[in-house]
Amino acid sequence: MLVEIPSARWVLVVSDGPGPGAAMHTDVLTQGRESYARWAWKAAYEELSAAQGETPLPGADLYRLAVAAYLTGADAAAVETFQRAHHALVDQGEVARAVRCGFWLGIVLVQRGHHAQAGGWLARAQRLLAEEPLDCVERGYLLLPGALRSLEGGDPSAAYAVFGEAIEIADRFGDPDLVALSRLGRGQALVAMGEAGAGVAMLDEAMLAVTTGDVSPIAAGLVYCALILACRQIFDLRRAQEWTAALSRWCAAQPDLKPYRGQCLVHRSEIMQLRGEWPEAMEEVRRACAHLNEPPGDPVLGMALYQQGELLRLRGEFARAEQAYREASECGHPIQPGLALLRLAQGRVGDAAAAVRRVLDEAESDRVARSRALAAYAEIMLAAGDVEAARAGTDELEVLAADFDAPYLWAVAATARGAVLLADGHPRGSCVALRRAWTSWHQLEAPYEAARVRVLMARACRELEDHDTAEMELDAVRHVFEQLGAAPALARVAELSGMPARREAPAGLTPREVEVLKLVVTGATNREIADRLVISEKTVARHLDNMFPKLGVSSRAAATAFAYQHKLV
């Protein structure tokens, strides 16, 4: 909230020297500059806003105000102030600084999805440099948008060359922001070209510039977030975890910071999920959604909603998971293979198979997207009884794992291979592959994935008539799934353990209420339940009204949890 200062305080007293209003203006402007220097963004925004009451701020201070506005989430004010800063710097004859201001204005507009406006401001910056024969570092900055367009357009080689030109300019002028951004871009280009090792080395150089240099906050935030995303793309979980921890510390040092914090929370949630800290992961992603919703329109919200959907799916809250996926899709975020795996968990194998096949076809030239889809593809094809398709998918997954040489992807490939061998009637070979997969997941400290492998091992041991080992494996994973709250996986273990079904339904449910509850678990709507059971929607609603008090619950999600807890599914 802006600090409002009555205009009377700014009226100058006629005298031989500056009056008290001028002194107050100087004081608040100095305070704003000092707050900016120590990264106290809210204070800097309020103080610099107050300082522009009746005396126009020079271009440099307008630039500071624009940055403070952006970093506190006041995007509209940031865009308007960047524009004023640009014009003020041009009027002051500081063309190079005006160009840099135009560059950052373009970047901010792109982040908010205003690509046409961004293109206009970047073109204006280019025109200014074309009119002034200046040898300045800003020429390197203006190389970056074109290189990014080449990278996003599927031409990483062209992007690599242009980012190289920017690196030469950055090094010649010793500009920290351009040093970090140009190396980040070249690292991303190398990864896209399939040279993950060289790309990671360049990404590490970019991050080194951030952690040891005088990189501005907007540039630092961009590098942190882009680097973590790049590490996720190449399945380098160790680096992703390391830099997520660094980003968390960086955000914590700036309590007023609005951008980057939401994405940091999403990455933290993903890491917590992998480590088996599901309640903490759910809380982090809940915080991320709340943070990214205010103000609305942040594109990272789709990433947060997808992560929320993944956690809800694994916990068996299918209706809520589907809603999260739908909302993520509305934000423009890809929702596969998560939605396909949800359909598989709901027993809709045909829908799952159709979706995952389409995703693979669309990702023909995208190795990262294809790698993520292939693991789901193998699992879904096995559920559909198409062992040949699952085998082909696993073969390709192993090739990609060798290309990326990432422990995570090797673990995924070994799990898929073990499942295919088991389905193909080779339990001994399956045990070998699954033992390798379990070791990999254990080293990655991923308890859920490791436990899923042990379920497959239990099945293989049963086929080899080693029933003692099979039961021990199931006993071990039952405890893991209970701790995690992985209701669908726990139900599968109960099924494999041969636990007898209850003769009487719990909580006094009637047989028809049990049927309705089992369909609620799949995420079916009242209309879909009515169609399946050939009854009216009103009858479905009456059954639900009768059931909820019996179960002691007030929502479909809670009823779903009850059904899993009492082995009704």
Side-chain angles (χ1 to χ4, degrees), residues 58-247:
D61 287 316
L62 283 172
Y63 178 83
R64 293 186 180 96
L65 177 58
V67 170
Y70 172 73
L71 294 176
T72 52
D75 289 352
V79 169
E80 187 268 339
T81 311
F82 268 125
Q83 293 173 355
R84 288 197 291 133
H86 173 84
H87 291 304
L89 289 166
V90 170
D91 292 342
Q92 293 166 206
E94 299 184 47
V95 174
R97 296 182 73 177
V99 167
R100 188 177 304 207
C101 186
F103 167 81
W104 284 119
L105 175 55
I107 295 298
V108 169
L109 286 167
V110 165
Q111 287 185 315
R112 306 310 298 175
H114 304 305
H115 296 279
Q117 294 180 50
W121 279 99
L122 291 170
R124 175 178 292 193
Q126 291 280 11
R127 179 176 56 78
L128 279 175
L129 276 188
E131 294 173 352
E132 296 284 344
L134 297 176
D135 181 24
C136 58
V137 70
E138 282 72 20
R139 294 189 181 277
Y141 279 88
L142 293 184
L143 291 172
L144 301 182
L148 286 171
R149 284 194 295 271
S150 296
L151 187 58
E152 293 168 1
D155 191 355
S157 297
Y160 175 85
V162 178
F163 281 126
E165 294 178 40
I167 287 175
E168 291 178 4
I169 295 173
D171 291 344
R172 183 158 62 89
F173 285 92
D175 185 88
D177 281 11
L178 189 58
V179 165
L181 293 171
S182 58
R183 281 166 169 76
L184 169 67
R186 199 166 217 198
Q188 292 172 313
L190 285 166
V191 168
M193 292 163 65
E195 299 180 31
V200 165
M202 186 63 69
L203 292 173
D204 283 346
E205 280 193 45
M207 187 52 73
L208 184 65
V210 169
T211 56
T212 62
D214 189 21
V215 176
S216 72
I218 297 182
L222 290 174
V223 172
Y224 268 119
C225 293
L227 187 142
I228 293 168
L229 288 173
C231 290
R232 290 169 71 253
Q233 286 182 333
I234 59 176
F235 307 97
D236 191 340
L237 297 189
R238 182 187 63 78
R239 274 189 173 82
Q241 292 179 14
E242 178 182 341
W243 293 125
T244 297
L247 176 58

Side-chain angles (χ1 to χ4, degrees), residues 461-481:
C461 288
R462 279 190 175 175
E463 292 199 17
L464 294 169
E465 299 187 1
D466 184 357
H467 299 293
D468 288 341
T469 301
E471 290 309 311
M472 285 189 287
E473 294 286 2
L474 291 176
D475 287 343
V477 300
R478 186 180 295 110
H479 178 65
V480 174
F481 291 148

Side-chain angles (χ1 to χ4, degrees), residues 22 57 165 193 239 274 326 368 434 445 498 563:
L57 292 179
E165 294 178 40
M193 292 163 65
R239 274 189 173 82
L274 182 70
R326 289 185 184 278
V368 173
L434 292 172
E445 301 181 55

